[in-house]
């Protein structure tokens, strides 16, 4: 057993899924499964119970994960520290973002960070916000940019810009468009319960924005009928662009996409706004001047 084996076990236990663990580890799912089988044969004990819906650790698997996690963290931290000694003028700092926000605002974030932290090399790690938050809390990431809420009270959370969640409709979706335009003419913010019968394109249920969308719809006494579920907001946008249904998206995408025959509508709900935030441990925020960086990024995002 080596440190790579331990990291595999720790990640599978954290994710309760071979497929999600393989994404985090950047290995194929078959390769990850084979490595676990090899380790089980080497140790002579099963490490996981498997069924169709989830993966649960055995007593041996939980023991390895619990005692192995601090070992993995310590070795990775030591590796980074030693590598940086060889390049003192190019200190490495890790930034976590989702693929969506990386696509739409990474260049502005990098420019803003560079103006306050010269001579630092940034490494970008992509992932969903719940994963990135945990990585920051455990010291594997220096800071991240993702939407609120933030679940750990030990992290410093610096607002960058306020996002609004909008209803998104293709102009060729005649029935939905006519309804939205007529409602908008009566009131700037439209009541979304009027769209309960329409097919929706939504994120998968475990993602933060999907939870917010479900809460918005529940507030208006209906559950959206999802005909497609994706892990990626740009995919949701593309499917609306091709007129497969309607969706909810943050206004960040509105500022960074051509019109494509897409219309965005304000929603009549108290839940439609959230902050995009810069997140780190307090000492890192001070060291990297992240309050100034967040303000600079926010100003850059407000400009056309």
């Amino acid at each position: 057993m080596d440190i790579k084996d331990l990291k595999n076990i720790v990640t599978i236990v954290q994710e309760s899924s071979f497929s999600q663990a393989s994404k985090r580890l950047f290995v194929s799912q078959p390769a990850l499964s084979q490595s676990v089988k090899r380790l089980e044969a080497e140790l002579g004990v099963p490490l996981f119970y498997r069924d169709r819906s989830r993966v649960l650790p055995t007593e041996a698997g939980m023991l390895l994960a619990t005692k192995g996690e601090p070992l993995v963290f310590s070795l990775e931290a030591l590796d980074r520290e030693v590598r940086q000694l060889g390049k003192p003028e190019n200190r490495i700092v890790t930034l976590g973002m989702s693929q969506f926000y990386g696509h739409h605002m990474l260049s502005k974030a990098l420019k803003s960070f560079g103006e306050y932290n010269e001579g630092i090399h940034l490494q970008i790690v992509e992932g969903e916000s719940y994963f990135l938050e945990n990585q920051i809390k455990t010291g594997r990431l220096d800071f991240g940019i993702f939407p609120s809420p933030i679940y750990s009270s030990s992290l410093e959370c610096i607002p960058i810009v306020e996002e609004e969640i909008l209803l998104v409709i293709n102009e060729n979706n005649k029935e939905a468009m006519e309804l939205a335009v007529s409602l908008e003419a009566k009131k700037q913010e439209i009541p979304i319960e009027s769209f309960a019968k329409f097919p929706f394109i939504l994120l998968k249920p475990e993602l933060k924005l999907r939870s917010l969308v479900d809460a918005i719809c529940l507030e208006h006494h209906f559950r959206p009928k999802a005909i497609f579920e994706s892990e990626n907001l740009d995919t949701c946008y593309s499917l609306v662009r091709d007129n497969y249904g309607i969706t909810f998206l943050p206004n960040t995408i509105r500022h960074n996409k051509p019109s494509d025959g897409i219309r965005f509508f304000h929603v009549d709900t108290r839940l439609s706004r959230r902050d995009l935030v810069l997140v780190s441990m307090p000492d890192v925020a001070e060291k990297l001047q992240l309050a100034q960086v967040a303000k600079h990024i926010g100003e850059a995002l407000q400009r056309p």
Side-chain angles (χ1 to χ4, degrees), residues 207-223:
L207 299 178
K208 191 180 286 185
L209 180 57
R210 173 62 183 274
S211 298
L212 178 57
V213 166
D214 286 345
I216 289 172
C217 295
L218 184 62
E219 182 188 46
H220 289 261
H221 312 294
F222 79 98
R223 293 183 181 276

Side-chain angles (χ1 to χ4, degrees), residues 151-217:
Y151 300 109
S152 174
S153 60
S154 65
L155 297 178
E156 183 154 344
C157 178
I158 306 168
I160 296 173
V161 69
E162 185 181 65
E163 278 194 325
E164 182 181 5
I165 308 305
L166 304 170
L167 182 65
V168 186
I169 304 173
N170 189 305
E171 290 178 350
N172 292 321
N173 189 335
K174 300 299 184 184
E175 185 181 1
M177 183 59 65
E178 288 174 5
L179 177 60
V181 170
S182 66
L183 291 171
E184 188 180 47
K186 297 175 184 177
K187 186 179 179 182
Q188 187 176 9
E189 296 180 337
I190 63 175
I192 61 165
E193 62 267 24
S194 304
F195 296 86
K197 69 175 184 178
F198 289 95
F200 279 83
I201 298 154
L202 300 173
L203 293 177
K204 290 186 176 180
E206 64 270 17
L207 299 178
K208 191 180 286 185
L209 180 57
R210 173 62 183 274
S211 298
L212 178 57
V213 166
D214 286 345
I216 289 172
C217 295

Side-chain angles (χ1 to χ4, degrees), residues 67-85:
K67 295 199 171 183
E69 182 175 10
L71 297 175
V72 172
F73 170 68
S74 296
L75 188 60
E76 289 179 340
L78 178 61
D79 181 81
R80 287 195 303 271
E81 189 173 348
V82 171
R83 289 176 185 275
Q84 289 176 22
L85 288 175

Side-chain angles (χ1 to χ4, degrees), residues 81-98:
E81 189 173 348
V82 171
R83 289 176 185 275
Q84 289 176 22
L85 288 175
K87 298 180 179 180
E89 74 284 0
N90 289 315
R91 184 184 162 212
I92 297 173
V93 170
T94 49
L95 163 64
M97 300 179 79
S98 72

Side-chain angles (χ1 to χ4, degrees), residues 176-283:
M177 183 59 65
E178 288 174 5
L179 177 60
V181 170
S182 66
L183 291 171
E184 188 180 47
K186 297 175 184 177
K187 186 179 179 182
Q188 187 176 9
E189 296 180 337
I190 63 175
I192 61 165
E193 62 267 24
S194 304
F195 296 86
K197 69 175 184 178
F198 289 95
F200 279 83
I201 298 154
L202 300 173
L203 293 177
K204 290 186 176 180
E206 64 270 17
L207 299 178
K208 191 180 286 185
L209 180 57
R210 173 62 183 274
S211 298
L212 178 57
V213 166
D214 286 345
I216 289 172
C217 295
L218 184 62
E219 182 188 46
H220 289 261
H221 312 294
F222 79 98
R223 293 183 181 276
K225 182 175 66 177
I227 58 168
F228 290 102
E229 293 182 329
S230 174
E231 294 181 349
N232 190 290
L233 286 169
D234 286 308
T235 300
C236 294
Y237 179 90
S238 297
L239 289 170
V240 174
R241 183 190 59 204
D242 294 333
N243 203 16
Y244 282 98
I246 63 179
T247 193
F248 293 93
L249 292 172
N251 60 344
T252 301
I253 203 168
R254 183 184 189 181
H255 296 321
N256 291 281
K257 289 281 190 184
S259 63
D260 285 336
I262 300 293
R263 286 283 302 275
F264 295 81
F265 296 91
H266 300 282
V267 178
D268 182 16
T269 173
R270 58 186 175 80
L271 301 175
S272 64
R273 296 181 182 275
R274 65 180 185 177
D275 286 328
L276 184 64
V277 294
L278 195 155
V279 182
S280 72
M281 297 298 289
D283 61 323

